Amino acid sequence: VVDRPKQPWEATDGAIYLLRELCTRFPNRDDTEREDVILGDNILLPLMTELADVARLSHYPQSDDLRTTLFKQLPQIAEAMGKRRFKGLYLDLFIELLSKNLDDRHGTGASQLSIHAAGQCCEEIAKLIGFGIMRGRLEAIGCDDAFDSVMEERKREQAMIATPGHFIGRVAFSPFGPPVVSS
């Protein structure tokens, strides 16, 4: 049981999940279950703009946790909105934030969890809108090299997963028996 007042970042963290749910339940599309509730851009764009602005803040200790939550939920929000709508109105709100987290040359001090979440977010959004488009948007702000390295890392990870008996390029160790040797 938490017996302290809710911190502002915690409320914002919860608002990210709420936005995700609203976007997935009431998208501005023809295939909505309810016609009386539609989350249009006139409502959603100001909310998403404010969310991006809050995620840019880094003066509080949990700012990195908030960005991690955002990066984990953004692909689902994008998917619910659809490729054209997200790419046209919302991608530019978050692209700089993603790039700063991907490429820590800017000295953001991002945690590995946050960096990984940003990479995963970029990959999933790139699958939705197209890798060339995502790379082009990142190239426009000078972060295409970080995107390329993240995509290469993802390919290596997938290759390691596909190779049985190997872990990070070496033979896997098991305390229960001899090492697994692949042929």
Side-chain angles (χ1 to χ4, degrees), residues 171-181:
V171 176
F173 171 77
S174 172
F176 305 110
V180 178
V181 179

Side-chain angles (χ1 to χ4, degrees), residues 52 55-56 67-68 70-75 78 86 90-104 106 108 110 114-126 129 134 137-138 141 143 146-147 150:
R56 282 186 189 92
R67 282 187 291 278
T68 301
L70 173 64
F71 298 146
K72 287 181 177 181
Q73 302 310 313
L74 195 58
F86 183 78
Y90 299 95
L91 179 59
D92 288 337
L93 294 175
F94 300 100
I95 199 78
E96 182 184 343
L97 190 60
L98 278 166
S99 71
K100 283 184 179 179
N101 235 64
L102 276 180
D103 187 8
D104 203 29
H106 302 288
T108 60
S114 179
I115 292 170
H116 180 78
Q120 187 73 28
C121 181
C122 281
E123 180 183 23
E124 290 179 31
I125 289 175
I129 67 171
M134 186 70 169
R137 297 282 179 99
L138 286 164
I141 58 172
C143 194
F147 178 71
V150 165

Side-chain angles (χ1 to χ4, degrees), residues 22-29 31-32 37-39 80 85:
L22 288 171
C23 288
T24 55
R25 301 250 325 159
F26 307 112
N28 192 8
R29 293 188 186 167
D31 60 351
T32 57
V37 180
I38 295 178
L39 191 60
R85 181 180 180 202

